[in-house]
Amino acid sequence: MNAKTPDELLNAASNTNAKQWRDGKRYLWMLSPAVPVIGAAALTAYAIAPQKLRALAWAGPALIHGIIPAIDRLIGADKTNPPESAVQQLENDKYYHRVVLSFLPAQYACTLLGTWLGTRKNVPLADRIGIAATVGVINGIAINTAHELGHKHDRASRLLAMAALAPTGYTHFAVEHNFGHHKRAATPEDPASSRLGESFWKFLPRTVIGGYKSAVVIEKERLARKGKGFWSLDNELLQGWAMSAGLLGVSTALFGPRAIPFLVAQGAYGASLLEVINYVEHYGLKREKLANGKYVRVSPEHSWNNNNVVTNLFLYQLQRHSDHHAHPSRSFQALRHFEDAPQLPAGYASMLLPAYIPSLWYKIMDKRVLAHYDGDITKANIDPERREEILVKYGKPVSELDEITEATPARLEEKAAA
């Protein structure tokens, strides 16, 4: 008689579920590496008919700020999670890694094509700006590809992550994000976590400067533990900066000195797209401090999430940000949705334009931060320079929040007294 124990039956059922489960979005993940292909196709069409197809110079901004948010809203959310029994199967499937890698050759083809177009003498200034913005969008989205690769443990993936970051000159992200942001996320000490009442335009210089400084400190400490100095060949910051310098040098040799301002402009715009996503991801959220001075572990409540399926397909499920912080090395296809994680009202792509407009952003997001903390705004990560103003403004029950409008500090004092 071959009777099975309950544990054996449970394992058998789990294995059966894993075998039966299929990733319904398996081939839709190709949408992300399709982005640079779309960009290259638009720029090629512009090159063929620059007078008739001038609008294609702006294809990148149109895609990220218009087309993707519109389709996102039309299709909606997808909250399905892979069963735990299928996670290992997904992690071991090399197809998904090949999807990520396929972004890089198209990224560089689009970058070089755009640089050639953007440095031609007969291209109007408005078109030149549009082409730089389009290439910047491609390389901004490439930072997400670098993010996926940079969390792998093998050396080849980390080098490829820096290659994806090289066109934006943001290769330090591979160091700071992994060993700085993931340690300090949702704390006042993290340059990549935005604060309640802090506009994106105030956050931007703080995160750019703070990120560079943090990366240098992290890399110095890593090299010191190995008995090496900063100017070592093992320095990942120097390796990344060399990649960016190499791309700049090759482009200048091919297309002339006009390539330098073009690549700087598209890189700055591309990097700003990363930082506006950073701004969105942890806005106002703060981990509690324990009696010993340490912060509680990162949990789902410390990241803003969203399940709009189209943006998730383009960004490798970056919007399932809570699970990413819980399992940084987990591949995108296995990331899960948490019901108790704070949710954004729309996908990341739809939140970009509101983030650029402080008054609109505060109107959309501040009440969500307040509700998340059950009306106790003191639990939020608040901009220290606006702390008193914000405590007066939002030191009320959630039900009264919508009645509070923008006002001067004096008017806020009057409302608080009343």
Side-chain angles (χ1 to χ4, degrees), residues 22-222:
R22 294 290 183 272
D23 180 7
K25 300 187 288 284
R26 181 178 178 86
Y27 298 108
L28 293 175
W29 296 118
M30 287 300 296
L31 280 175
S32 185
V35 169
V37 175
I38 293 170
L43 293 180
T44 300
Y46 171 89
I48 294 170
Q51 298 301 319
K52 293 183 178 180
L53 301 175
R54 289 190 67 184
L56 290 179
W58 294 87
L63 178 68
I64 197 170
H65 295 302
I67 297 171
I68 292 177
I71 300 175
D72 225 0
R73 181 176 292 274
L74 181 65
I75 295 181
D78 171 25
K79 295 184 178 181
T80 59
N81 286 330
E84 195 63 34
S85 55
V87 168
Q88 197 59 46
Q89 164 196 328
L90 286 168
E91 291 281 358
N92 293 336
D93 191 334
K94 300 298 183 184
Y95 163 78
Y96 296 99
H97 186 61
R98 289 194 290 269
V99 167
V100 177
L101 293 179
S102 66
F103 191 104
L104 274 72
Q107 173 197 359
Y108 271 80
C110 186
T111 300
L112 292 173
L113 174 60
T115 306
W116 170 67
L117 278 175
T119 55
R120 292 197 305 178
K121 293 181 179 180
N122 60 341
V123 175
L125 178 60
D127 293 9
R128 202 185 304 272
I129 295 171
I131 293 166
T134 292
V135 175
V137 166
I138 302 306
N139 287 321
I141 294 177
I143 296 177
N144 193 57
T145 295
H147 173 256
E148 184 69 22
L149 291 169
H151 275 294
K152 305 308 177 190
H153 299 300
D154 62 290
R155 178 63 177 157
S157 291
R158 286 192 59 78
L159 285 172
L160 289 170
M162 286 192 282
L165 292 163
T168 54
Y170 236 57
T171 52
H172 70 285
F173 173 80
V175 172
E176 202 289 321
H177 176 82
N178 287 21
F179 307 108
H181 174 64
H182 270 266
K183 180 180 178 181
R184 298 183 298 240
T187 69
E189 292 79 18
D190 182 30
S193 293
S194 59
R195 301 158 178 169
L196 183 74
E198 179 181 38
S199 73
F200 169 68
W201 306 109
K202 184 177 181 181
F203 169 78
L204 184 59
R206 180 173 74 83
T207 189
V208 171
I209 296 169
Y212 271 111
K213 287 181 176 179
S214 174
V216 170
V217 170
I218 290 168
E219 192 63 0
K220 278 184 175 179
E221 291 176 350
R222 184 186 74 86

Side-chain angles (χ1 to χ4, degrees), residues 369-378 394-398:
V369 176
L370 188 62
H372 178 66
Y373 289 113
D374 297 324
D376 187 356
I377 202 65
T378 62
Y394 296 140
K396 293 176 176 284
V398 177

Side-chain angles (χ1 to χ4, degrees), residues 195-199 202 283 362 366 381-383 386 390:
R195 301 158 178 169
L196 183 74
E198 179 181 38
S199 73
K202 184 177 181 181
Y283 177 75
Y362 299 149
D366 284 10
N381 184 9
I382 301 174
D383 181 355
R386 295 190 61 201
I390 287 170

Side-chain angles (χ1 to χ4, degrees), residues 195-322:
R195 301 158 178 169
L196 183 74
E198 179 181 38
S199 73
F200 169 68
W201 306 109
K202 184 177 181 181
F203 169 78
L204 184 59
R206 180 173 74 83
T207 189
V208 171
I209 296 169
Y212 271 111
K213 287 181 176 179
S214 174
V216 170
V217 170
I218 290 168
E219 192 63 0
K220 278 184 175 179
E221 291 176 350
R222 184 186 74 86
L223 291 168
R225 289 193 297 270
K226 299 175 71 173
K228 298 181 179 181
F230 184 80
W231 300 105
S232 164
L233 291 176
D234 195 31
N235 186 325
E236 292 192 355
L237 294 179
L238 298 181
Q239 293 168 5
W241 294 338
M243 289 183 185
S244 293
L247 175 63
L248 194 65
V250 169
S251 298
T252 303
L254 290 173
F255 310 119
R258 291 189 182 191
I260 297 174
F262 178 87
L263 286 173
V264 169
Q266 68 80 30
Y269 180 56
S272 76
L273 292 175
L274 160 71
E275 296 299 2
V276 74
I277 292 295
N278 277 340
Y279 178 77
V280 169
E281 286 172 340
H282 302 281
Y283 177 75
L285 302 178
K286 187 174 77 171
R287 288 150 58 191
E288 291 183 12
K289 218 171 203 180
L290 301 172
N292 61 7
K294 294 182 179 180
Y295 289 101
V296 298
R297 291 174 63 94
V298 179
S299 67
E301 67 182 82
H302 300 127
S303 302
W304 290 103
N305 293 257
N306 187 266
N307 280 299
N308 279 38
V309 66
V310 175
T311 299
N312 266 337
L313 289 169
F314 277 101
L315 298 182
Y316 302 126
Q317 295 207 120
L318 184 65
Q319 297 178 132
R320 293 188 169 185
H321 207 61
S322 289

Side-chain angles (χ1 to χ4, degrees), residues 389 392-393 404-417:
E389 173 193 349
V392 171
K393 182 177 181 179
I404 302 174
T405 57
E406 293 291 328
T408 63
R411 177 60 181 151
L412 291 172
E413 293 283 358
E414 291 174 12
K415 293 191 75 170

